[in-house]
Amino acid sequence: MKILGISGSPRLQGTHYLVNYSLNYLKEKGAETKYFTVHKKTINFCRHCDYCIKKKEGCVFKDDMEEVYKGLEWADGIIIGTPVYQGTITGQLKTLMDRCRALVAKKPDILRGKVGMGIAVGGDRNGGQEVALRTIHDFYMINEIFPVGGGSFGANLGATFWSKDKGEEGVKEDEEGLRVLRKTLNKFYKALKMLKTM
Ligand SMILES: Cc1cc2nc3c(=O)[nH]c(=O)nc-3n(C[C@H](O)[C@H](O)[C@H](O)COP(=O)(O)O)c2cc1C
């Protein structure tokens, strides 16, 4: 079972900690993992030049997305974490998602049948975490990845955190968030196992 974790935070704080917490949790169950953070990476905006559609050779830009493309192709499961910015995902993560158009244009079935889950970290208790999760789930659906939530009675759409703007320290203090994250990770792991044995 191969899992790629992506952090959409420009910092190595709460989201970075939580995506790595998730990868370590699944490593203990026997998964192989890779991690990518947008921190200090160069990811150009998609400029809708349609090079990827016309050439079917990937993106016209050769930047840090090369690592993401390789990781997405390699993975069976994808965990995307994001801080909440202006009520939704970060601009860095949105740019990364936009750039995946080139990957799918080159290989249309590349992401089909993989499994994905999300983690959203807000400074406020109700700061837009669910909107951010839904944006991550939309990305999965558009790219034929099965989105997995945490299940009813407690975890619902997936893992949401209230960092109180205290970065890593803040998410570590959010015990309810960590409980919901573990519940979501267990569902994600089960879904991956189901798909692998089909
Ligand atoms: C530009 C910007 C916009 C933000 N907008 C929101 C918001 O809409 N809702 C919210 O709850 N927190 C918001 N925050 C706070 C971050 O989501 C919060 O501090 C988060 O824990 C940062 O995650 P990180 O530690 O992984 O970087 C914003 C922070 C920044 C820098």
Side-chain angles (χ1 to χ4, degrees):
M1 212 174 275
K2 297 175 195 150
I3 316 290
L4 173 69
I6 296 174
S7 166
S9 174
R11 314 192 302 173
L12 301 178
Q13 282 290 328
T15 311
H16 167 75
Y17 171 80
L18 292 169
V19 175
N20 280 292
Y21 175 100
S22 303
L23 295 177
N24 289 333
Y25 187 86
L26 296 171
K27 245 191 228 169
E28 281 179 20
K29 293 183 186 286
E32 239 184 288
T33 65
K34 281 188 182 164
Y35 176 65
F36 179 86
T37 169
V38 301
H39 170 73
K40 289 191 175 167
K41 297 284 165 51
T42 301
I43 302 179
N44 288 290
F45 286 126
C46 171
R47 60 179 188 195
H48 202 167
C49 64
D50 281 341
Y51 172 93
C52 61
I53 306 288
K54 288 178 204 140
K55 299 272 187 184
K56 307 205 183 310
E57 290 170 3
C59 187
V60 69
F61 291 121
K62 302 296 170 222
D63 57 18
D64 289 317
M65 275 304 288
E66 296 299 309
E67 190 182 337
V68 180
Y69 295 145
K70 282 191 199 120
L72 286 171
E73 188 162 2
W74 167 85
D76 303 308
I78 300 144
I79 300 174
I80 298 180
T82 187
V84 182
Y85 281 11
Q86 301 298 327
T88 186
I89 63 172
T90 62
Q92 288 87 342
L93 180 58
K94 179 62 168 57
T95 303
L96 181 153
M97 288 175 173
D98 290 344
R99 291 282 305 281
C100 286
R101 187 175 192 245
L103 178 68
V104 176
K106 184 179 171 188
K107 298 182 182 173
D109 61 354
I110 192 77
L111 301 174
R112 186 173 301 147
K114 296 179 191 274
V115 179
M117 61 164 271
I119 304 169
V121 188
D124 297 321
R125 189 172 66 165
N126 300 306
Q129 285 88 335
E130 290 190 333
V131 174
L133 279 182
R134 291 295 296 267
T135 305
I136 293 169
H137 291 179
D138 285 352
F139 168 76
Y140 289 147
M141 286 193 283
I142 288 163
N143 292 290
E144 304 181 64
I145 298 165
F146 296 115
V148 173
S152 50
F153 307 115
N156 303 297
L157 294 175
T160 54
F161 281 82
W162 176 21
S163 72
K164 300 181 181 169
D165 286 325
K166 292 196 284 176
E168 177 174 335
E169 186 199 330
V171 299
K172 280 181 174 163
E173 283 171 7
D174 186 357
E175 283 175 26
E176 176 61 10
L178 289 166
R179 187 192 65 75
V180 169
L181 175 60
R182 286 190 293 270
K183 193 162 184 253
T184 308
L185 285 166
N186 291 336
K187 297 271 182 209
F188 175 68
Y189 183 73
K190 264 190 204 159
L192 271 165
K193 261 183 37 187
M194 265 169 57
L195 281 164
K196 284 286 254 185
T197 52
M198 268 168 79

CSV table of all heavy atoms in Angstrom, one decimal, residues 6-11 15-16 19 35-39 80-83 85 89-94 96:
chain,number,residue,atom,x,y,z
A,6,ILE,N,0.4,15.1,1.0
A,6,ILE,CA,0.7,16.4,0.5
A,6,ILE,C,0.3,17.5,1.5
A,6,ILE,O,-0.9,17.5,1.9
A,6,ILE,CB,0.0,16.7,-0.9
A,6,ILE,CG1,0.5,15.7,-1.9
A,6,ILE,CG2,0.1,18.1,-1.3
A,6,ILE,CD1,-0.3,15.7,-3.3
A,7,SER,N,1.2,18.4,1.8
A,7,SER,CA,0.8,19.5,2.7
A,7,SER,C,0.7,20.8,1.8
A,7,SER,O,1.7,21.1,1.1
A,7,SER,CB,1.8,19.7,3.8
A,7,SER,OG,1.6,21.0,4.4
A,8,GLY,N,-0.4,21.4,1.9
A,8,GLY,CA,-0.7,22.7,1.1
A,8,GLY,C,-0.3,23.9,1.9
A,8,GLY,O,-0.7,25.0,1.6
A,9,SER,N,0.5,23.8,3.0
A,9,SER,CA,0.8,24.9,3.8
A,9,SER,C,2.2,25.4,3.4
A,9,SER,O,3.1,24.6,3.2
A,9,SER,CB,0.9,24.6,5.3
A,9,SER,OG,1.4,25.7,6.0
A,10,PRO,N,2.4,26.7,3.3
A,10,PRO,CA,3.7,27.3,3.0
A,10,PRO,C,4.7,27.2,4.2
A,10,PRO,O,5.8,27.6,4.1
A,10,PRO,CB,3.4,28.7,2.6
A,10,PRO,CG,2.2,29.1,3.3
A,10,PRO,CD,1.4,27.8,3.4
A,11,ARG,N,4.1,26.7,5.3
A,11,ARG,CA,5.0,26.6,6.6
A,11,ARG,C,5.1,25.2,7.0
A,11,ARG,O,4.4,24.3,6.5
A,11,ARG,CB,4.3,27.3,7.7
A,11,ARG,CG,3.7,28.7,7.4
A,11,ARG,CD,3.3,29.4,8.7
A,11,ARG,NE,2.3,28.7,9.5
A,11,ARG,CZ,1.9,29.1,10.7
A,11,ARG,NH1,2.4,30.2,11.2
A,11,ARG,NH2,1.0,28.4,11.4
A,15,THR,N,-0.2,21.8,9.6
A,15,THR,CA,-0.6,20.9,8.5
A,15,THR,C,0.6,19.9,8.2
A,15,THR,O,0.3,18.7,8.0
A,15,THR,CB,-0.9,21.7,7.2
A,15,THR,OG1,-1.8,22.7,7.6
A,15,THR,CG2,-1.6,20.8,6.2
A,16,HIS,N,1.8,20.5,8.2
A,16,HIS,CA,3.0,19.6,8.0
A,16,HIS,C,3.0,18.5,9.1
A,16,HIS,O,3.2,17.4,8.8
A,16,HIS,CB,4.2,20.6,8.1
A,16,HIS,CG,5.5,19.9,8.2
A,16,HIS,ND1,6.2,19.3,7.2
A,16,HIS,CD2,6.3,19.7,9.3
A,16,HIS,CE1,7.3,18.8,7.6
A,16,HIS,NE2,7.4,19.0,8.9
A,19,VAL,N,0.0,15.9,8.4
A,19,VAL,CA,0.2,15.0,7.3
A,19,VAL,C,1.2,13.9,7.6
A,19,VAL,O,1.1,12.7,7.4
A,19,VAL,CB,0.5,15.8,6.0
A,19,VAL,CG1,0.8,14.8,4.8
A,19,VAL,CG2,-0.6,16.7,5.6
A,35,TYR,N,6.2,12.0,1.1
A,35,TYR,CA,5.7,13.2,1.6
A,35,TYR,C,6.1,14.4,0.6
A,35,TYR,O,7.3,14.4,0.2
A,35,TYR,CB,6.2,13.5,3.0
A,35,TYR,CG,5.8,14.8,3.5
A,35,TYR,CD1,4.4,15.1,3.8
A,35,TYR,CD2,6.7,15.8,3.8
A,35,TYR,CE1,4.0,16.4,4.3
A,35,TYR,CE2,6.3,17.1,4.3
A,35,TYR,CZ,5.0,17.3,4.6
A,35,TYR,OH,4.6,18.5,5.1
A,36,PHE,N,5.2,15.3,0.3
A,36,PHE,CA,5.5,16.5,-0.4
A,36,PHE,C,4.9,17.7,0.3
A,36,PHE,O,3.7,17.6,0.7
A,36,PHE,CB,4.9,16.4,-1.9
A,36,PHE,CG,5.2,17.6,-2.7
A,36,PHE,CD1,6.4,17.7,-3.4
A,36,PHE,CD2,4.3,18.7,-2.7
A,36,PHE,CE1,6.7,18.9,-4.1
A,36,PHE,CE2,4.6,19.8,-3.4
A,36,PHE,CZ,5.8,19.9,-4.1
A,37,THR,N,5.7,18.7,0.4
A,37,THR,CA,5.1,19.9,1.0
A,37,THR,C,5.3,21.1,0.0
A,37,THR,O,6.4,21.1,-0.7
A,37,THR,CB,5.8,20.3,2.3
A,37,THR,OG1,5.4,21.7,2.7
A,37,THR,CG2,7.3,20.3,2.3
A,38,VAL,N,4.4,22.0,-0.1
A,38,VAL,CA,4.6,23.2,-1.0
A,38,VAL,C,5.6,24.2,-0.4
A,38,VAL,O,6.0,25.1,-1.1
A,38,VAL,CB,3.2,23.9,-1.3
A,38,VAL,CG1,2.2,22.9,-1.9
A,38,VAL,CG2,2.6,24.5,0.0
A,39,HIS,N,6.0,24.0,0.9
A,39,HIS,CA,6.9,24.9,1.5
A,39,HIS,C,8.2,25.1,0.7
A,39,HIS,O,8.9,24.1,0.4
A,39,HIS,CB,7.2,24.3,2.9
A,39,HIS,CG,8.4,24.9,3.6
A,39,HIS,ND1,8.3,26.2,4.2
A,39,HIS,CD2,9.6,24.5,3.9
A,39,HIS,CE1,9.4,26.4,4.8
A,39,HIS,NE2,10.3,25.4,4.6
A,80,ILE,N,-4.4,14.7,1.4
A,80,ILE,CA,-4.1,16.1,1.2
A,80,ILE,C,-4.5,16.9,2.4
A,80,ILE,O,-5.6,16.8,2.8
A,80,ILE,CB,-4.8,16.7,-0.1
A,80,ILE,CG1,-4.3,16.0,-1.3
A,80,ILE,CG2,-4.5,18.2,-0.2
A,80,ILE,CD1,-5.0,16.5,-2.6
A,81,GLY,N,-3.5,17.6,3.0
A,81,GLY,CA,-3.8,18.5,4.1
A,81,GLY,C,-3.7,20.0,3.7
A,81,GLY,O,-2.8,20.3,2.9
A,82,THR,N,-4.5,20.8,4.3
A,82,THR,CA,-4.4,22.2,3.9
A,82,THR,C,-4.8,23.1,5.1
A,82,THR,O,-5.7,22.8,5.9
A,82,THR,CB,-5.4,22.6,2.8
A,82,THR,OG1,-5.2,24.0,2.4
A,82,THR,CG2,-6.9,22.5,3.1
A,83,PRO,N,-4.1,24.2,5.3
A,83,PRO,CA,-4.6,25.2,6.2
A,83,PRO,C,-5.8,25.9,5.5
A,83,PRO,O,-6.0,25.8,4.3
A,83,PRO,CB,-3.5,26.2,6.3
A,83,PRO,CG,-2.3,25.6,5.7
A,83,PRO,CD,-2.8,24.6,4.7
A,85,TYR,N,-7.5,29.1,4.3
A,85,TYR,CA,-7.2,30.5,3.9
A,85,TYR,C,-8.5,31.1,3.3
A,85,TYR,O,-9.0,30.5,2.3
A,85,TYR,CB,-6.1,30.6,2.9
A,85,TYR,CG,-4.6,30.4,3.4
A,85,TYR,CD1,-4.4,30.0,4.7
A,85,TYR,CD2,-3.6,30.7,2.6
A,85,TYR,CE1,-3.1,29.8,5.2
A,85,TYR,CE2,-2.2,30.6,3.1
A,85,TYR,CZ,-2.0,30.1,4.3
A,85,TYR,OH,-0.7,30.0,4.8
A,89,ILE,N,-9.2,26.2,0.7
A,89,ILE,CA,-7.8,25.8,0.7
A,89,ILE,C,-6.8,26.9,0.4
A,89,ILE,O,-7.3,28.0,0.0
A,89,ILE,CB,-7.7,24.7,-0.4
A,89,ILE,CG1,-8.0,25.2,-1.8
A,89,ILE,CG2,-8.5,23.5,-0.1
A,89,ILE,CD1,-7.7,24.2,-2.9
A,90,THR,N,-5.6,26.7,0.5
A,90,THR,CA,-4.6,27.7,0.3
A,90,THR,C,-4.4,27.9,-1.3
A,90,THR,O,-4.7,27.0,-2.0
A,90,THR,CB,-3.2,27.3,0.8
A,90,THR,OG1,-2.7,26.1,0.2
A,90,THR,CG2,-3.2,27.1,2.3
A,91,GLY,N,-3.9,29.0,-1.6
A,91,GLY,CA,-3.6,29.3,-3.1
A,91,GLY,C,-2.6,28.3,-3.6
A,91,GLY,O,-2.7,27.9,-4.8
A,92,GLN,N,-1.6,28.0,-2.8
A,92,GLN,CA,-0.6,27.1,-3.2
A,92,GLN,C,-1.1,25.7,-3.6
A,92,GLN,O,-0.8,25.1,-4.6
A,92,GLN,CB,0.5,26.9,-2.1
A,92,GLN,CG,1.4,28.1,-1.8
A,92,GLN,CD,0.7,29.1,-0.8
A,92,GLN,OE1,-0.5,29.1,-0.6
A,92,GLN,NE2,1.6,29.9,-0.3
A,93,LEU,N,-2.1,25.2,-2.7
A,93,LEU,CA,-2.7,23.9,-3.0
A,93,LEU,C,-3.6,24.0,-4.2
A,93,LEU,O,-3.6,23.1,-5.1
A,93,LEU,CB,-3.5,23.4,-1.8
A,93,LEU,CG,-4.2,22.1,-2.0
A,93,LEU,CD1,-3.2,21.0,-2.3
A,93,LEU,CD2,-5.0,21.7,-0.7
A,94,LYS,N,-4.3,25.1,-4.4
A,94,LYS,CA,-5.2,25.2,-5.6
A,94,LYS,C,-4.3,25.2,-6.9
A,94,LYS,O,-4.7,24.6,-7.9
A,94,LYS,CB,-6.0,26.5,-5.5
A,94,LYS,CG,-6.9,26.8,-6.7
A,94,LYS,CD,-7.9,25.7,-6.8
A,94,LYS,CE,-9.0,26.1,-7.8
A,94,LYS,NZ,-8.6,26.5,-9.1
A,96,LEU,N,-1.4,23.7,-7.2
A,96,LEU,CA,-1.0,22.3,-7.4
A,96,LEU,C,-2.1,21.5,-8.1
A,96,LEU,O,-1.8,20.8,-9.0
A,96,LEU,CB,-0.6,21.8,-6.0
A,96,LEU,CG,-0.1,20.3,-5.9
A,96,LEU,CD1,0.8,20.2,-4.7
A,96,LEU,CD2,-1.2,19.3,-5.8
